[in-house]
Amino acid sequence: MKEVKLINKKQCDEVFKILFQTWPQAQCELLHNNHFQLLIAVVLSAQATDKSVNKALEPLLQQSPFFSAADLIEMGEESFLKVIKSIGLAPTKARNCFKLAKILQEKYLGDVPLEREKLEELPGVGRKTANVILNVLCNLPTMAVDTHVERLSQRIGLVLQTKDRLKIEEELLKRVPQKYAVKAHHILIFHGRYHCVARKPKCELCPIEHLCLKVGVTH
DNA sequence: ATCCCGAGGG
DNA sequence: CCCTCTGGAT
């Protein structure tokens, strides 16, 4: 018999209240000066730390603060690959970013479309990336389910056990208090990145330890 | 289900 | 050494 590991609605509200107080500064940490740069950064951040993405892009953005789709097309895929070489999955990402830039130029005058369907048509952009873009640029209450959000959701007991990220997203959106709907994604990211880490979570120091079910945590 | 694949941490 | 990092396309 499979035990249902889930905290109740009241506990869920408390979790977000405490986490919001713990991480009031939670926000996107990817370097960017415009919509295009954010889109590129989010695409590059797949299976990579935001630190590694910032480290690779910083010199480029320093030299070219208004770096745009047109600029990426002009510099070429090979040159861009050299820039992002230190990031994992670089060849695939360079190809996707270059193709993406060309599509933006041809279809949207170089702008980033702020609609889910159009975003997800772009190479290298899936549901998670689209959710981040819509959240950061439009302040929409989307829930991008990445490795952190998936881990914390299961661990704390915010959602039922499943590897289906769309299901996790839907369940989370139902359970997150309205007040924190827009911030919730980054609140979870910060807690996952800096505290409730994958391997050795710092449970002794955790502000929600009394509420957490610690599903799968073995010390 | 499997492939893409580099740096940083433990 | 092994695991992890704001996944996506096939």
Side-chain angles (χ1 to χ4, degrees), chain A residues 48-123:
Chain A
T49 61
D50 63 330
K51 254 184 198 171
S52 70
V53 173
N54 287 340
K55 189 174 178 181
L57 290 184
E58 194 174 15
L60 178 66
L61 301 188
Q62 190 82 15
Q63 185 193 346
S64 180
F66 303 105
F67 189 73
S68 67
D71 294 328
L72 175 50
I73 293 169
E74 188 184 339
M75 84 183 279
E77 184 181 325
E78 290 309 314
S79 300
F80 188 65
L81 174 57
K82 286 178 187 169
V83 170
I84 66 166
K85 194 76 173 164
S86 61
I87 306 174
L89 315 179
T92 305
K93 289 172 178 175
R95 197 175 319 120
N96 283 336
C97 286
F98 187 70
K99 286 166 69 179
L100 179 155
K102 282 169 71 173
I103 294 174
L104 294 189
Q105 276 298 65
E106 291 165 10
K107 294 184 69 174
Y108 307 110
L109 302 173
D111 288 334
V112 176
L114 298 177
E115 296 159 53
R116 174 182 303 286
E117 298 75 21
K118 293 178 181 174
L119 284 168
E120 291 187 13
E121 281 175 7
L122 302 172

Side-chain angles (χ1 to χ4, degrees), chain A residues 1-95:
Chain A
M1 189 121 87
K2 209 166 168 185
E3 190 185 349
V4 177
K5 304 219 173 188
L6 201 61
I7 59 175
N8 65 37
K9 178 63 178 166
K10 190 177 172 186
Q11 294 168 319
C12 185
D13 289 355
E14 186 68 7
V15 162
F16 280 100
K17 183 184 174 188
I18 295 173
L19 289 184
F20 180 73
Q21 290 169 350
T22 306
W23 309 105
Q25 77 282 32
Q27 60 173 325
C28 178
E29 296 197 303
L30 293 165
L31 290 177
H32 65 282
N33 305 312
N34 59 37
H35 290 188
F36 175 72
Q37 291 172 17
L38 175 67
L39 179 57
I40 295 301
V42 179
V43 168
L44 295 178
S45 73
Q47 296 296 97
T49 61
D50 63 330
K51 254 184 198 171
S52 70
V53 173
N54 287 340
K55 189 174 178 181
L57 290 184
E58 194 174 15
L60 178 66
L61 301 188
Q62 190 82 15
Q63 185 193 346
S64 180
F66 303 105
F67 189 73
S68 67
D71 294 328
L72 175 50
I73 293 169
E74 188 184 339
M75 84 183 279
E77 184 181 325
E78 290 309 314
S79 300
F80 188 65
L81 174 57
K82 286 178 187 169
V83 170
I84 66 166
K85 194 76 173 164
S86 61
I87 306 174
L89 315 179
T92 305
K93 289 172 178 175
R95 197 175 319 120

Side-chain angles (χ1 to χ4, degrees), chain A residues 29 111-112 115 138 146 149 201 211 213:
Chain A
E29 296 197 303
D111 288 334
V112 176
E115 296 159 53
C138 308
D146 51 62
V149 173
L211 298 163
L213 297 181

Side-chain angles (χ1 to χ4, degrees), chain A residues 2-7 150-165 167-168 171 213-217:
Chain A
K2 209 166 168 185
E3 190 185 349
V4 177
K5 304 219 173 188
L6 201 61
I7 59 175
E150 179 175 336
R151 182 179 67 254
L152 266 68
S153 298
Q154 310 283 8
R155 198 175 263 180
I156 297 169
L158 296 174
V159 303
L160 290 171
Q161 296 296 321
T162 174
K163 284 188 178 178
D164 186 339
R165 290 194 165 185
K167 209 169 261 181
I168 294 174
E171 288 303 310
L213 297 181
K214 302 185 184 178
V215 178
V217 177

